[in-house]
């Protein structure tokens, strides 16, 4: 953080982008350098800067499972229920869904504690629907059959129990036209399916 402050003090451009379009704040968030994230926020870094995929510093931090960086960005005013846009509404993703998809269960619970809706079905399915996919991903030619490594100490079973304590419905229903599995184009075979049915 001191090096970043020194560079900024000597005229470094806070919104400069590298070849993939990422800013310093995106890099700090993705790498979990919370002190640098705070320093950049204090210096006026753009919290809403996006790369072509739509990822912002907040979504980089969530995707990589950096809880303290996520908290710093939430404290700076990021909406915990903001959606990562997609060309298809059915493929947009919330921070909570992104955290669960990547096995960051401690982070996902922290997002709920910060106000994320535990029954959010804007993506077509609730966070609890994702647990069977995270535990045993689709084993087809187009997907990686290995579960995500994730972060934190909470197991998927503990996560389900904690989500239920926080109001997650075990009877949540997948919506019509929801993706069968995150980041795929196939559709739910049974609209209205519950997390239990998927499991």
């Amino acid at each position: 953080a001191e090096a970043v402050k020194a560079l900024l003090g000597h005229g470094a451009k806070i919104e400069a982008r590298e070849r993939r379009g990422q800013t310093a704040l995106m890099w700090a968030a993705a790498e979990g350098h919370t002190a640098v994230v705070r320093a950049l926020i204090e210096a006026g870094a753009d919290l809403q800067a996006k790369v072509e995929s739509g990822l912002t510093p907040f979504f980089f931090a969530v995707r990589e499972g950096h809880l303290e960086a996520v908290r710093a960005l939430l404290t700076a005013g990021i909406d915990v229920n903001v959606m990562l846009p997609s060309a298809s509404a059915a493929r947009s993703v919330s921070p909570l869904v992104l955290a669960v998809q990547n096995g960051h269960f401690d982070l996902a619970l922290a997002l709920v504690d910060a106000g994320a809706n535990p029954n959010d079905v804007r993506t077509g399915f609730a966070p609890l629907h994702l647990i069977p996919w995270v535990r045993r991903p689709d084993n087809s030619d187009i997907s990686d059959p290995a579960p995500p490594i994730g972060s934190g100490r909470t197991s998927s079973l503990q996560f389900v129990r904690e989500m239920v304590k926080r109001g997650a419905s075990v009877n949540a229903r997948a919506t019509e036209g929801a993706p069968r599995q995150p980041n795929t184009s196939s559709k739910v075979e049974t609209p209205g399916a519950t997390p239990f049915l998927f499991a």
Side-chain angles (χ1 to χ4, degrees), residues 1 8-9 23 41 47 56 62 66 72 78 84-85 108 127 157 186 199:
L8 291 172
T23 65
I41 291 170
L47 303 179
T56 63
V62 170
H66 297 304
I78 296 295
L84 176 63
L157 178 58
S186 59

Side-chain angles (χ1 to χ4, degrees), residues 8 14-15 25 36-48:
L8 291 172
I14 198 167
E15 298 304 330
L25 183 56
V36 174
V37 168
R38 288 190 183 110
L40 290 167
I41 291 170
E42 289 170 11
D46 183 1
L47 303 179
Q48 304 298 336

